[in-house]
Amino acid sequence: MIKKDVVIIGAGASGMMCAIESGKRGRSVLVIDHADKIGKKIRISGGGSCNFTNINTHSTNFISNNPHFCKSALSRFAPRDFISLLEKHGVKYEERDPGQLFCQGSAEEIIRMLEKESNNAAVEIILNCHIMDVKKEDSFIISTDHGIFESESLVIATGALSYPQIGASGMGHNIAKQFGLKVTELKPALVPFIFSRTDSLIFSELSGISIDGTIKCNKMEFRGSILFTHRGLSGPAILQISSYWKDGDTIVIDLLPGIDILGIFIERQLNKSKIDMHNLLSEFLPSRLSKIWCASNIQSKPVNQYNEKERKTIANQLHNWEIKPNTTEDFKTAEATLGGIDTKELSSKTMEAKSVKGLYFTGEVIDVTGQLGGYNLHWAWASGFVAGQYA
Ligand SMILES: Cc1cc2nc3c(=O)[nH]c(=O)nc-3n(C[C@H](O)[C@H](O)[C@H](O)COP(=O)(O)OP(=O)(O)OC[C@H]3O[C@@H](n4cnc5c(N)ncnc54)[C@H](O)[C@@H]3O)c2cc1C
């Protein structure tokens, strides 16, 4: 039996951050992971250049049954703190969309930085390590195919269910349940929608078309790129709203945000324009979309032949196009998981389970899910950082 002060299960973003901080305090730390490399999700994040934080990070960018839970960790490890770490290691970064920071090079540089920091903090890492059993006697006993480890503190940093193809598993939730902690409902988040059968027949030929739109559902609204796929809708605005969508909800898309299309109809009417509606709309939308949208929503005819009521109805439909998705895609394509360890079970200051001394949870395994834009990784860094001060 090998004894350590701290065993961390999961060498992802939050586990590595926790290991570094705990190691810096002089604790003997072992990180174990069933994957063959550390930080596999970091490596593929942000399309390979890792949107590692967002300088506008605020608790309102997170979804949780308790929206206040994340506040303490976010205030103690702010985007500036992660940026300082990058600057110390000479990792170059840039702001892309407002607030979203990406590596100028590749996500690999962040992984190398975490490796260096963990080496400096004398953290030991065992990869390809499969956990067979976890139990608590006086201390935690972790049985693996690399031997049995005993530790005073156990940190569960196994992430959640999204992207099982690179090692995501439900182990963290199962360990929580084993120790009697509640886990809230788990659902794919930041995930594409799948059309209903009828919409699929109509819109699947638009696959590959992308527009700038605004999308609304359950009092949330996002503007950005909307991509038609062969199965449904994707793109940043869709991924954002998917985290707020519930089964049976309708989403409302403004196909022409910021464009006074009714004013344009009236102007063309005054000019006695005989252009067909779908041709007119092709001036603002991809022509294939305009054609199919008109065919499925209105009767396309020359613009000067619509009466005032019809013009208003069409303008309203274009700004409020209603779609009822059948469902979302599953965890294989979801960038995050909604739900997780019930925050009522944890201290927001330390991430330690209130009912099990020495048992900590960090990152995505907790019921805290960020919006798209660097928030999920920031939550991983921040929750790992605070747990590392106590574990
Ligand atoms: C394609 C994609 C792109 C993304 N891009 C971004 C982005 O640009 N910005 C952003 O903020 N967020 C992004 N995210 C989300 C972000 O990567 C995660 O929220 C974050 O990595 C979670 O950190 P974590 O430490 O909780 O878990 P993870 O980073 O997932 O780490 C969990 C670790 O635990 C290990 N593990 C799991 N189960 C077991 C087990 N049974 N035994 C042993 N080890 C186990 C895994 O191998 C893994 O190494 C993206 C996610 C995906 C899928």
Side-chain angles (χ1 to χ4, degrees):
M1 182 124 59
I2 299 163
K3 283 193 180 181
K4 291 280 175 184
D5 293 330
V6 187
V7 167
I8 300 175
I9 307 182
S14 70
M16 290 304 292
M17 183 55 94
C18 180
I20 292 162
E21 289 303 313
S22 187
K24 281 203 269 188
R25 288 172 40 237
R27 303 277 277 165
S28 62
V29 181
L30 168 68
V31 184
I32 50 182
D33 197 306
H34 64 176
D36 58 352
K37 289 191 182 90
I38 72 159
K40 279 194 151 178
K41 221 176 248 182
I42 301 172
R43 192 170 279 108
I44 58 164
S45 65
S49 50
C50 188
N51 177 196
F52 55 83
T53 192
N54 192 306
I55 49 177
N56 303 317
T57 297
H58 187 268
S59 60
T60 51
N61 299 116
F62 297 87
I63 305 167
S64 169
N65 276 348
N66 176 3
H68 304 293
F69 181 82
C70 60
K71 287 181 179 170
S72 170
L74 296 179
S75 70
R76 282 148 72 215
F77 191 82
R80 184 69 242 166
D81 296 311
F82 195 75
I83 294 167
S84 300
L85 195 56
L86 293 183
E87 288 173 348
K88 178 178 147 196
H89 287 265
V91 178
K92 297 262 181 302
Y93 59 90
E94 62 193 18
E95 186 174 352
R96 296 203 186 153
D97 285 317
Q100 300 184 16
L101 301 190
F102 287 78
C103 296
Q104 269 179 21
S106 93
E108 204 67 51
E109 292 175 56
I110 290 191
I111 294 168
R112 278 202 296 272
M113 175 189 87
L114 294 171
E115 267 166 351
K116 260 192 211 155
E117 286 282 326
S118 62
N119 268 338
N120 293 345
V123 171
E124 191 188 336
I125 302 174
I126 305 180
L127 297 171
N128 294 307
C129 180
H130 298 90
I131 292 121
M132 269 113 61
D133 184 49
V134 171
K135 61 184 176 200
K136 187 168 189 209
E137 291 170 356
D138 286 339
S139 45
F140 292 93
I141 312 288
I142 303 106
S143 306
T144 78
D145 59 359
H146 281 61
I148 300 175
F149 305 102
E150 184 185 345
S151 65
E152 189 187 324
S153 298
L154 175 64
V155 182
I156 309 299
T158 46
L161 302 180
S162 61
Y163 270 57
Q165 58 274 38
I166 55 158
S169 80
M171 175 174 272
H173 308 118
N174 294 338
I175 292 176
K177 286 183 198 157
Q178 178 195 328
F179 283 97
L181 311 187
K182 284 203 196 83
V183 176
T184 65
E185 188 193 355
L186 303 171
K187 277 173 60 184
L190 302 178
V191 63
F193 284 123
I194 297 179
F195 282 137
S196 67
R197 236 176 120 73
T198 325
D199 285 342
S200 178
L201 290 173
I202 303 170
F203 298 112
S204 57
E205 38 176 310
L206 295 176
S207 176
I209 285 181
S210 164
I211 56 162
D212 169 39
T214 300
I215 182 151
K216 286 187 241 171
C217 186
N218 289 323
K219 298 188 182 146
M220 293 303 291
E221 181 174 330
F222 296 95
R223 180 161 180 180
S225 177
I226 297 174
L227 173 71
F228 287 82
T229 69
H230 64 290
R231 300 181 74 194
L233 295 169
S234 187
I238 293 290
L239 300 188
Q240 292 283 34
I241 211 76
S242 71
S243 302
Y244 297 89
W245 180 85
K246 296 191 182 65
D247 271 348
D249 283 344
T250 295
I251 54 172
V252 180
I253 299 177
D254 184 348
L255 290 167
L256 301 169
I259 296 176
D260 175 16
I261 196 68
L262 183 59
I264 291 165
F265 291 164
I266 294 167
E267 184 193 301
R268 299 294 170 98
Q269 172 87 9
L270 290 174
N271 293 342
K272 300 197 171 34
S273 170
K274 290 194 177 125
I275 187 173
D276 242 46
M277 180 59 86
H278 76 259
N279 284 329
L280 168 61
L281 292 181
S282 297
E283 293 174 23
F284 306 95
L285 292 169
S287 63
R288 258 195 302 157
L289 170 59
S290 156
K291 211 167 177 176
I292 288 179
W293 187 87
C294 286
S296 65
N297 286 278
I298 60 168
Q299 194 198 354
S300 186
K301 55 187 181 182
V303 179
N304 63 353
Q305 291 181 16
Y306 292 96
N307 64 33
E308 191 188 342
K309 191 175 163 209
E310 286 171 325
R311 282 196 301 266
K312 277 192 182 153
T313 306
I314 296 170
N316 185 48
Q317 281 175 290
L318 285 161
H319 287 303
N320 297 285
W321 181 36
E322 294 190 355
I323 294 261
K324 194 169 175 178
N326 188 30
T327 181
T328 65
E329 293 197 7
D330 61 18
F331 286 107
K332 283 197 211 91
T333 45
E335 283 197 15
T337 301
L338 268 186
I341 315 302
D342 194 328
T343 55
K344 285 194 201 105
E345 305 281 9
L346 307 177
S347 153
S348 62
K349 190 175 165 216
T350 63
M351 303 293 141
E352 187 178 18
K354 289 175 186 166
S355 57
V356 188
K357 194 169 165 10
L359 180 64
Y360 296 78
F361 292 84
T362 60
E364 203 179 319
V365 74
I366 302 173
D367 172 30
V368 173
T369 309
Q371 295 173 343
L372 194 77
Y375 304 107
N376 281 303
L377 278 171
H378 193 78
W379 169 246
W381 312 130
S383 56
F385 174 88
V386 295
Q389 310 308 313
Y390 303 94

